[in-house]
Amino acid sequence: AVVSTQSTGGEKGEMGIPGFDGSDGAPGADGAKGAPGSDGAPGADGQPGTDGLPGNDGAKGETGPKGERGAPGMDGSDGAKGAKGAPGQKGLAGIKGQKGEKGISGEKGDKGNDGKCNIDDYSPCNCDTHVVTRHSQSVDTPDCPAEFTSLWSGYSLVFFEGNGYGLSQDLGDAGSCLEDFQLLPFMQCSASDVCRHGVRTDKSFWLGTNQGADFASKPMNNIDEILPHISRCRVCMGTKYIIARHSFKATAPACPADFSEIWTGYSYVMVTSSSTSGGGQDLSSAGSCLENFFLPTFIECLGRGTCSYYINNLDYWLAQNQETNQPGMWGMGNVYSGLNDILNQGVSRCVVCARNSL
């Protein structure tokens, strides 16, 4: 039989000594997700970073405005001496100087030999300058005579006509060689401060070329068509005195003593237009000795913008004076028909001469 030692109904005893710790239990299940926390305080500034690598070159910018002019630079050092230049052309004679003061009287000279009463020899002084104009009567510009210098070249003007009045140009003077060609190089002005260029009644007359005249053709109004009919010219300057001499024969005369020939030609006197105006040449001038004989000699241009040859424009030339038993009566009433008759029996020849240098 089992004997029970448990008392029934006794007093509660004192707490016993704590037992040994038990082993850890199994992990509990995850709890529910908590609510988000509040933002934390800003952190402290970090340390500066290291320099980055250099970037690529940027695109070329637009050109800026022009800067102000800088201050003048310092003078450079002298360059090396250049080579000796070629000799220049011989200069023109200088202007005649002023008259000097009267010198001291010289001693009385010895008595000279008895002389003959003759005209003193002429001794020219090449101190002055002389201008001569030469006309080619072609589209080619002529050359200056020897020892003359060209001043300009242009177009051969004979004379103007305005309001029925004419103004001629000596063909040996510079005014007969205009550097520009206009059908009407002048204008008409009144006292009311008004000027008109190209008035229909105004005219200009120019030396022609050997293009031939068709009097039945329509007047030319195109500059490219007109220019081949206008003679060219050149103005020249030198120290030699120029004269023209006329023979009144079919052959050119010789130059005077101490003069040399420049050119020979035909003795040109004057021109007249369809109105009462016209103009002439100084017969001592080179302009009175044209190197070519053309008929008609000149062409007429009008203010309306046309140029043409007109049958009622007339040329005048010195005539020949043949040696006959009645000198001075040759040719009265003669009519020379055809170029050969005119050249052989009609028109006088001439020569342009230059005074020789000493």
Side-chain angles (χ1 to χ4, degrees), residues 22-258:
S23 57
D24 292 338
D30 291 338
K33 185 175 181 180
S38 58
D39 292 338
D45 293 337
Q47 297 294 326
T50 58
D51 294 338
L53 297 174
N56 296 327
D57 292 338
K60 185 177 179 180
E62 296 181 357
T63 303
K66 183 177 181 181
E68 296 182 358
R69 184 174 182 177
M74 298 178 64
D75 293 339
S77 57
D78 293 339
K81 185 176 180 180
K84 184 177 180 180
Q89 294 182 349
K90 182 179 179 181
L92 298 174
I95 299 172
K96 185 176 181 180
Q98 296 181 353
K99 186 176 181 180
E101 297 180 359
K102 185 176 180 180
I104 301 173
S105 299
E107 297 180 359
K108 185 176 180 180
D110 297 333
K111 183 178 179 180
N113 298 326
D114 293 336
K116 296 180 180 180
C117 184
N118 291 328
I119 299 175
D120 293 337
D121 291 335
Y122 171 63
S123 297
C125 172
N126 290 341
C127 302
D128 298 329
T129 54
H130 302 279
V131 173
V132 64
T133 300
R134 192 173 192 178
H135 304 270
S136 68
Q137 296 173 266
S138 73
V139 295
D140 298 321
T141 303
D143 296 325
C144 284
E147 299 184 38
F148 276 70
T149 302
S150 175
L151 297 180
W152 69 80
S153 60
Y155 302 86
S156 304
L157 175 68
V158 180
F159 77 101
F160 293 134
E161 182 180 309
N163 200 26
Y165 294 91
L167 175 65
S168 63
Q169 301 295 321
D170 189 321
L171 294 175
D173 291 342
S176 66
C177 189
L178 298 190
E179 295 181 72
D180 289 325
F181 176 77
Q182 296 184 67
L183 270 65
L184 209 64
F186 62 94
M187 58 184 181
Q188 181 187 111
C189 298
S190 66
S192 58
D193 294 338
V194 174
C195 294
R196 295 177 174 85
H197 188 188
V199 177
R200 291 177 62 87
T201 55
D202 291 344
K203 304 175 183 178
S204 64
F205 299 80
W206 307 81
L207 269 187
T209 59
N210 194 22
Q211 291 290 316
D214 184 357
F215 296 106
S217 64
K218 183 179 178 181
M220 297 173 286
N221 60 5
N222 183 291
I223 192 66
D224 293 330
E225 185 181 6
I226 293 169
L227 283 178
H229 293 262
I230 308 299
S231 168
R232 305 306 197 269
C233 53
R234 189 180 295 279
V235 179
C236 309
M237 180 178 70
T239 58
K240 294 184 176 182
Y241 181 70
I242 302 290
I243 60 170
R245 189 178 189 183
H246 306 273
S247 68
F248 298 93
K249 300 291 186 293
T251 56
C255 286
D258 298 323

Side-chain angles (χ1 to χ4, degrees), residues 317-336:
W317 305 78
L318 283 184
Q320 294 181 28
N321 183 25
Q322 300 287 350
E323 295 180 1
T324 64
N325 57 358
Q326 289 185 311
M329 298 298 293
W330 168 261
M332 299 296 100
N334 285 0
V335 176
Y336 307 109

Side-chain angles (χ1 to χ4, degrees), residues 231-304:
S231 168
R232 305 306 197 269
C233 53
R234 189 180 295 279
V235 179
C236 309
M237 180 178 70
T239 58
K240 294 184 176 182
Y241 181 70
I242 302 290
I243 60 170
R245 189 178 189 183
H246 306 273
S247 68
F248 298 93
K249 300 291 186 293
T251 56
C255 286
D258 298 323
F259 280 77
S260 297
E261 177 185 308
I262 298 179
W263 71 76
T264 60
Y266 303 86
S267 303
Y268 195 47
V269 180
M270 66 177 183
V271 297
T272 60
S273 72
S274 56
S275 63
T276 57
S277 69
Q281 304 299 312
D282 183 341
L283 293 178
S284 66
S285 165
S288 66
C289 190
L290 294 184
E291 296 178 68
N292 298 290
F293 183 86
F294 299 145
L295 293 177
T297 309
F298 63 94
I299 187 170
E300 176 180 327
C301 296
L302 304 176
R304 67 189 180 195

